[in-house]
Amino acid sequence: MKKKQTPPLKASATSASASTAPLPNLPEGSSIPKVLSVLPLRDVVVYPHMIFPVLIGRENSIHAVSEALKRDKYIFLAAQSTDAIDPTKDDVFHAGTIAKIVQLVRLPNNLIKILVDGVIQARAVRFVPSEVCLEAEIEPVVVVTDDSNPEQQAMVRHAGELFLEYVRASRSMPPEIATAFANIQDPMRQLYYASANVEAEVEAKQKILERTSLREQYFELIAMLTAEIEVQKLEQDIDVKVQESIQKTQKRFFIQEQIRALQEELEDDDAFPELSKLREQLDAANLPEAALQHANEEFDKLKKTQPMSPEYGVLRNYLELVAALPWHTTTPDNLDILHVRQILDEDHFGLEQIKERILEYIAVLNLVRGVQGQVLCLSGPPGVGKTSLARSIARALGRKFVRMSLGGVRDEAEIRGHRRTYIGSMPGRIIQSMKRAGTMNPVILLDEVDKMVTDFRGDPSAALLEVLDPEQHHAFNDHYLEMDYDLSKVLFIATANVKFDIPAPLLDRMEIIELSSYVEYEKEQIARKHLIPRQLEKHGLNGFAVRFDDEAVQEIIRGYTKEAGVRNLERQIASVIRKVAKTIVVEIAHEAHNQALSKEKSVAEKPKRRKKVETEVPSDQQPSPQAPSDQDHPQLFASEAIRLKERIITRALVAEFLKVPINRKKEKEVSDKIGVVTGLAWTSMGGDILPVEVTIMPGKDKLTLTGKLGDVMKESAMAALSFVRANTASLGVPAESLTDKEIHIHVPEGAIPKDGPSAGITMTMALISAASGRAARGDVAMTGEVTLRGNILPIGGLNEKLLAAKQAGIKTVLIPKQNDADVAELNKQTTEGLEIVPVAHISEALGQVFRG
C-alpha cells in the first residue's frame, strides 16, 4: 500500500493571497493581510496573548497552514460549532482569534505540529471561495473598555477572586497558575488568561469572543467560573460521601474479622446467635442421612462466608428452606369410610362417580396402610365443583390442602425451581407447596393442568412427569434443593376443563374422572342445599324468613344462566338476595323512624313536672359511657315482626329483580323444513343445539361452507357430500340435483367458532333433504361422525348434548350405535322424556328423519 504524501506548503492558485492591504485598528507596528486562511479547532478556544500548540492532520487544515506561511504566518483560529470531520463555513464560529505561527514541526504519519501565538480578537466578515481550505475576510474586534467605570472595576475584582478560588479547589491545576495570574496587571490580559485556564464547555468559552465590551466579557467569565465552582463543590461532596462509605465498610470488615477470630477461639457458634438458631432448626428437622450430610456441608460454607458477601444470603436462605421442609412429619388419616362419605355428601350434591372412587381409595388405605401412586384428574366444564371437591377430599381425610395454579405457567423452572447460581433463585412450586403444607402427606391440587404453555423457556408439563410418576416421585429432585425429596405420600389431584389439551405422556400418568354438566334437577338441589343458605348467611339474612319457591329457582336457572356448572347461578342468587336485603333494611329504617316520631310525640304530651333539686354526683362515681356493641348493627334492631315476616321469592320477583332474561332460550322449531336439520354440539360450557342449513343453487360445481367452521368440520362436510353423491339411488336423491350445482352449507351462529367431526350425520341429512326436496322432521336432533361408507362413528360429550336437546324441547335424538352403552351410565334426569335412537348407518336414520 502506498503512503499518502504530505501536500507541499505552497499557495493555491485560487487563493486571495494577493490582497495584502494592512487591516485597520491593529496594534502598533503590525501589518496583517485582510484575507486569511481559517484553521478550525475542535474542543478548544484560543484567545489573544495565548501561546498554544496545535496538532494538525486533516488535509484542509494542512492547506490552511500552507496558505498562512505565505501570508507572514498569520492565520485565523476559529472553534468548530459541530463535530464535522471536514468542516465548512457553517461548522465554525465566526468569532475567533488572529494568531501567528511561531513554530512548525513535521511528525510521522503525515502530521504537523504548530505553535501559535494569539494576536488579536477578530471575526470573519465573509468567507472567500477556495478549493483547498477555508478562507475569509477578517475584521479585528476592538474591545470597548472603560477603566473608570465602577461596575467594570467591581467585575474585574470579583472575577479575579472567583478564578483564584477555582484554582485552589481544582485538582489538576498547579498553584503557579494563580501566581502568574496575580502578576498580570492588564484587565484584558487577565480576562484571556483566566478564560483559557478554565475547564468549561466550548460554547461557554466562545461567548467571551462573541462579546465586544470588556464588561460583557467579564460578565460571561463570572458566569462560567460560578458554574464551574458549583460543580467542584458537588465533586467534593461526592468525595466526602465516598470516603465515609469506604471508612464505614473498612470498620465493619475489621469488626467482623475480630468476631471471626473470637469465634475460632471459642470453637462454637456463640459469636453468631442467628447461626446457632439455624443449627438448632436443622437438628430439629430430623433430616435423612444424605440430606443431613449435604446440609452440614452447606452450613460449614456459611460459617466461613463473610456476612456482607452475596453468597452468605444465598446459603442462609437455602438452609432455612431445608430446615422448614417436612421430612418426616405427617398428619393421621381419618380412615372412617362412613365419615368420609358424610363429608363428601355435605359439601357436594351428586358426583357419585368421584365419591365412589374416593371411598375405594379409603377402603384400600384401611387394608394396606400406605398406597402410593394415587394421581386423580377431575375433568369437566367450569363451575361443576372440581376445586371444591378436592378441598372436600382433604377435609374428609383430615389432611392439609394446598392449591397450586398451573394456568399460564410456561417455564419449566416454575415446577423444578432455579439453580442457586442464578440471582434471585427460588425453589419450584412443588417444594414451596410442601413447605406451606408442613406435612409429607398433604392433598396438592394441580389446578388447570390443561392450560400450561410450552415455549422456548421449556415445557412445564414434562417437568410434571417426574412429580406424578409413582416410580419416580419418591426421589423428586428440585434444582434449588439439590437433594432427593419424597413425594410418595402426597395425594395429587389435578383439574382440567378439556382433557384432550393435556399432553399424552402426562395424561397417561393420571386417572381421569369425568365430571359432566349438571342437569336442571341437580342445579335446583345444589341451589337449595348449598348456594341459597350460603348467600343468605353471607348477606346477613340467615335470621330472617326468606325462602325461594321452586318456580323462582327454575326461572333463574333457565332464564338467567347458561352454563354447565353453578358458578353463574350463585351470582344470580346473590343478586336477588341483595335486593331482598335492601328491602329489609328500608323496612327497618322506616320502623325506627316511626318509633322516633312516636317517642317525640309522647314526650311533648307529658305535663311539666316539678323540678327537683338533685345532689351532685362526684365525677369518679358517674357511669362511664358504654362502648358500641354488636347491637348497633341494623340487623339487631329489627323487630320480631320484621324477622318473622315470611318473604317468598317468586318467579315474578325474580323477573322484577333481574330484569330482562340474559339467556334467551333457544327453542327448536318443531315444524318440518327442507334443508334444515338439527345437530348437537359439545362446548367447554356444556352442550348446545347446532342447526345445519343447506341450499342448492344452479351454478358451477362448488361447495361453500360458512359459519366459522374448523378444518375437521369442513372435512366432515366434504365426506357427507361425497357419500350422498355416491349413493343417490339408495338415498332417493335425483342424480341431477347434485350435478352442476352450487351447494352452500351454513351453520349458525356465524360469529362462534365450531369444529369437530360429530356434525357429520347432521350435514348428511341436511344434504339429502335439500337434494331430494323432502322436509326433515323438526323434532329430531342427532349427533355422530359419518364415513364415506355411511357408517356412524361414536362421539364424546353425550351427556351435555342430551341435556341441550332436552332444554330445546326435542323429543327424539339419534346417537351412534357404539354410544348405546354410555346411555346406561347417564343420570336418569338426563334421559327422562327423550327417545334415544341408536343408529349404525345412515340408512337406519332415514326413517327417523323423514316422515313416511
Side-chain angles (χ1 to χ4, degrees):
M1 180 186 291
K2 291 184 178 181
K3 278 189 173 183
K4 287 185 67 178
Q5 298 295 326
T6 303
L9 296 176
K10 61 180 182 178
S12 171
T14 59
S15 66
S17 59
S19 204
T20 58
L23 290 168
N25 303 323
L26 291 178
E28 187 178 351
S30 298
S31 178
I32 302 175
K34 186 176 181 181
V35 176
L36 293 176
S37 55
V38 180
L39 179 61
L41 301 176
R42 281 192 294 186
D43 302 327
V44 67
V45 178
V46 178
Y47 295 102
H49 313 295
M50 174 182 173
I51 298 177
F52 189 78
V54 181
L55 185 65
I56 299 172
R58 292 183 291 194
E59 189 173 350
N60 290 343
S61 299
I62 294 175
H63 284 298
V65 173
S66 174
E67 294 295 328
L69 294 177
K70 298 299 182 180
R71 298 171 181 162
D72 295 334
K73 301 183 181 180
Y74 285 106
I75 192 168
F76 182 66
L77 306 179
Q80 286 188 211
S81 59
T82 65
D83 294 331
I85 297 177
D86 294 322
T88 63
K89 62 180 182 179
D90 297 327
D91 298 320
V92 297
F93 293 104
H94 288 200
T97 302
I98 298 175
K100 189 167 186 177
I101 301 174
V102 179
Q103 185 180 10
L104 184 145
V105 179
R106 291 184 180 275
L107 300 175
N109 299 327
N110 299 330
L111 299 178
I112 295 176
K113 185 177 182 180
I114 63 173
L115 192 66
V116 295
D117 182 10
V119 177
I120 189 171
Q121 182 178 337
R123 64 185 181 87
V125 180
R126 181 178 65 86
F127 282 87
V128 177
S130 174
E131 295 180 356
V132 292
C133 66
L134 290 175
E135 292 186 347
E137 290 184 7
I138 306 302
E139 179 183 72
V141 175
V142 179
V143 179
V144 179
T145 179
D146 185 3
D147 296 337
S148 62
N149 189 341
E151 183 180 1
Q152 177 178 314
Q153 294 175 1
M155 296 182 75
V156 171
R157 185 179 304 168
H158 184 52
E161 295 173 354
L162 289 176
F163 180 70
L164 293 177
E165 180 182 354
Y166 172 78
V167 173
R168 285 194 297 269
S170 177
R171 303 175 184 176
S172 58
M173 299 181 69
E176 289 79 7
I177 293 180
T179 304
F181 178 79
N183 293 332
I184 300 174
Q185 302 299 325
D186 184 10
M188 188 173 296
R189 286 178 176 266
Q190 283 185 337
L191 168 76
Y192 292 140
Y193 184 82
S195 302
N197 285 282
V198 176
E199 297 177 359
E201 298 291 336
V202 173
E203 289 78 7
K205 302 180 77 171
Q206 179 66 28
K207 289 181 181 179
I208 294 177
L209 295 178
E210 303 284 348
R211 305 293 181 260
T212 59
S213 168
L214 185 63
R215 185 176 59 84
E216 295 177 352
Q217 289 179 329
Y218 264 100
F219 179 81
E220 297 295 341
L221 175 61
I222 290 172
M224 184 167 59
L225 285 170
T226 303
E228 292 300 318
I229 289 173
E230 289 297 326
V231 173
Q232 287 179 338
K233 290 180 179 179
L234 291 175
E235 291 177 351
Q236 291 174 356
D237 292 342
I238 293 172
D239 286 344
V240 171
K241 292 179 181 178
V242 170
Q243 290 298 327
E244 290 178 352
S245 177
I246 292 174
Q247 292 175 2
K248 186 176 180 181
T249 303
Q250 291 175 344
K251 181 180 179 181
R252 181 184 299 173
F253 176 76
F254 179 72
I255 294 174
Q256 289 171 351
E257 287 299 317
Q258 287 180 327
I259 293 174
R260 185 175 300 280
L262 291 172
Q263 181 184 3
E264 292 176 356
E265 191 72 23
L266 294 172
E267 296 182 353
D268 58 18
D269 301 328
D270 292 339
F272 292 99
E274 65 273 10
L275 294 186
S276 300
K277 184 178 179 181
L278 182 58
R279 178 76 262 177
E280 293 174 1
Q281 292 174 350
L282 289 172
D283 294 338
N286 194 16
L287 303 177
E289 183 178 353
L292 180 61
Q293 181 180 357
H294 184 73
N296 288 335
E297 293 175 357
E298 296 295 323
F299 188 79
D300 292 339
K301 290 181 186 177
L302 179 65
K303 291 196 298 183
K304 298 175 182 177
T305 305
Q306 294 288 341
M308 59 182 293
S309 171
E311 187 68 19
Y312 183 87
V314 174
L315 288 171
R316 181 170 177 176
N317 291 337
Y318 172 76
L319 291 173
E320 288 177 349
L321 172 70
V322 172
L325 283 175
W327 295 94
H328 295 284
T329 305
T330 59
T331 54
D333 288 335
N334 189 338
L335 302 181
D336 185 353
I337 195 168
L338 299 180
H339 167 76
V340 174
R341 179 73 193 198
Q342 179 184 354
I343 294 295
L344 295 178
D345 288 340
E346 285 178 2
D347 293 347
H348 294 84
F349 178 83
L351 304 178
E352 295 300 328
Q353 184 182 3
I354 178 63
K355 290 179 181 178
E356 190 66 25
R357 179 63 185 84
I358 297 301
L359 294 178
E360 292 172 1
Y361 173 71
I362 300 300
V364 175
L365 279 180
N366 277 280
L367 299 175
V368 179
R369 300 282 178 178
V371 179
Q372 298 183 358
Q374 303 298 320
V375 182
L376 306 179
C377 180
L378 309 180
S379 175
V384 295
K386 299 183 294 295
T387 303
S388 61
L389 184 59
R391 187 176 284 107
S392 295
I393 293 172
R395 188 165 78 94
L397 292 174
R399 293 189 179 189
K400 296 291 184 68
F401 176 77
V402 180
R403 175 179 173 270
M404 190 172 74
S405 178
L406 298 178
V409 172
R410 62 183 66 209
D411 190 354
E412 174 258 352
E414 291 278 351
I415 307 298
R416 285 185 171 275
H418 301 81
R419 299 192 184 276
R420 282 187 288 151
T421 53
Y422 296 102
I423 297 176
S425 58
M426 295 175 60
R429 293 197 180 189
I430 298 295
I431 295 299
Q432 291 182 30
S433 299
M434 296 301 296
K435 178 184 175 182
R436 289 202 308 270
T439 63
M440 293 193 66
N441 62 338
V443 175
I444 294 183
L445 175 65
L446 306 175
D447 207 7
E448 310 292 353
V449 73
D450 59 328
K451 294 179 176 59
M452 290 185 293
V453 183
T454 301
D455 63 3
F456 65 92
R457 280 167 286 199
D459 185 1
S461 63
L464 276 179
L465 296 179
E466 180 184 0
V467 177
L468 302 181
D469 193 340
E471 301 299 326
Q472 302 180 43
H473 65 190
H474 66 280
F476 173 70
N477 194 286
D478 186 272
H479 289 161
Y480 183 87
L481 193 61
E482 293 182 338
M483 61 178 74
D484 293 340
Y485 190 83
D486 187 7
L487 298 175
S488 60
K489 298 179 182 179
V490 178
L491 174 59
F492 287 101
I493 301 178
T495 68
N497 293 132
V498 184
K499 67 178 181 180
F500 304 106
D501 292 340
I502 304 175
L506 187 60
L507 190 66
D508 183 60
R509 285 165 169 78
M510 298 186 294
E511 179 182 348
I512 304 297
I513 299 178
E514 297 280 355
L515 274 72
S516 58
S517 303
Y518 290 125
V519 298
E520 185 174 313
Y521 168 75
E522 292 175 328
K523 290 183 180 180
E524 291 180 17
Q525 296 301 316
I526 293 172
R528 293 207 169 278
K529 295 182 179 180
H530 300 282
L531 305 184
I532 295 176
R534 183 164 62 203
Q535 291 301 322
L536 286 174
E537 182 179 359
K538 184 182 294 185
H539 291 81
L541 298 181
N542 50 334
F544 294 83
V546 180
R547 68 180 182 86
F548 287 69
D549 66 9
D550 294 340
E551 291 186 354
V553 176
Q554 292 174 0
E555 177 64 19
I556 296 176
I557 294 172
R558 295 172 182 174
Y560 298 91
T561 63
K562 184 183 179 182
E563 56 180 345
V566 293
R567 194 170 290 157
N568 197 35
L569 173 60
E570 186 171 10
R571 293 194 193 100
Q572 298 298 337
I573 290 174
S575 179
V576 172
I577 291 177
R578 284 197 302 270
K579 306 286 186 184
V580 177
K582 175 187 172 184
T583 305
I584 292 176
V585 172
V586 170
E587 290 182 11
I588 294 173
H590 282 305
E591 184 181 54
H593 181 68
N594 293 334
Q595 290 177 355
L597 289 178
S598 62
K599 185 177 181 180
E600 291 176 1
K601 186 177 179 181
S602 63
V603 171
E605 292 176 354
K606 286 182 180 179
K608 296 182 179 179
R609 297 180 179 179
R610 185 186 305 171
K611 294 183 179 179
K612 296 182 179 180
V613 180
E614 299 178 354
T615 59
E616 186 175 355
V617 181
S619 59
D620 58 347
Q621 297 180 11
Q622 292 181 357
S624 60
Q626 295 294 328
S629 64
D630 293 339
Q631 294 180 355
D632 296 330
H633 196 282
Q635 174 184 332
L636 300 179
F637 280 103
S639 64
E640 197 70 17
I642 293 179
R643 287 177 173 278
L644 298 179
K645 179 182 177 180
E646 190 173 17
R647 305 172 192 276
I648 303 175
I649 310 301
T650 62
R651 182 174 183 176
L653 280 178
V654 169
E656 178 184 346
F657 290 155
L658 300 183
K659 306 302 180 185
V660 181
I662 299 174
N663 177 27
R664 297 179 179 179
K665 192 173 181 182
K666 192 181 290 185
E667 294 284 355
K668 178 69 183 73
E669 296 185 13
V670 296
S671 59
D672 300 351
K673 290 186 178 180
I674 298 176
V676 179
V677 178
T678 303
L680 298 173
W682 176 91
T683 68
S684 60
M685 300 299 295
D688 203 354
I689 63 172
L690 192 74
V692 175
E693 302 174 350
V694 175
T695 299
I696 300 177
M697 304 163 287
K700 296 181 180 179
D701 193 2
K702 178 183 176 183
L703 174 62
T704 303
L705 302 172
T706 57
K708 210 168 185 179
L709 309 184
D711 293 337
V712 177
M713 201 166 183
K714 290 178 181 178
E715 293 172 359
S716 296
M718 296 175 186
L721 179 59
S722 298
F723 171 74
V724 173
R725 279 178 169 170
N727 299 274
T728 53
S730 60
L731 297 175
V733 176
E736 62 274 7
S737 61
L738 297 175
T739 305
D740 296 330
K741 301 290 184 181
E742 182 175 349
I743 302 173
H744 186 171
I745 300 178
H746 177 66
V747 183
E749 302 158 353
I752 301 176
K754 311 169 190 69
D755 205 358
S758 64
I761 183 175
T762 313
M763 293 181 177
T764 304
M765 290 302 174
L767 283 168
I768 295 172
S769 174
S772 63
R774 290 179 290 177
R777 289 175 58 183
D779 59 347
V780 175
M782 60 203 71
T783 179
E785 180 181 355
V786 70
T787 68
L788 289 176
R789 299 295 178 264
N791 297 322
I792 310 299
L793 301 184
I795 46 86
L798 183 61
N799 181 73
E800 286 78 7
K801 292 178 180 180
L802 293 179
L803 283 176
K806 189 173 182 179
Q807 291 175 359
I810 292 174
K811 303 301 181 183
T812 305
V813 178
L814 307 184
I815 66 171
K817 183 75 173 178
Q818 298 181 40
N819 284 112
D820 193 19
D822 300 332
V823 178
E825 298 181 3
L826 298 177
N827 197 313
K828 180 181 178 182
Q829 285 78 16
T830 302
T831 58
E832 187 177 6
L834 287 178
E835 181 187 357
I836 301 175
V837 181
V839 292
H841 193 268
I842 289 293
S843 59
E844 300 177 15
L846 293 176
Q848 299 290 336
V849 177
F850 301 105
R851 302 185 187 276

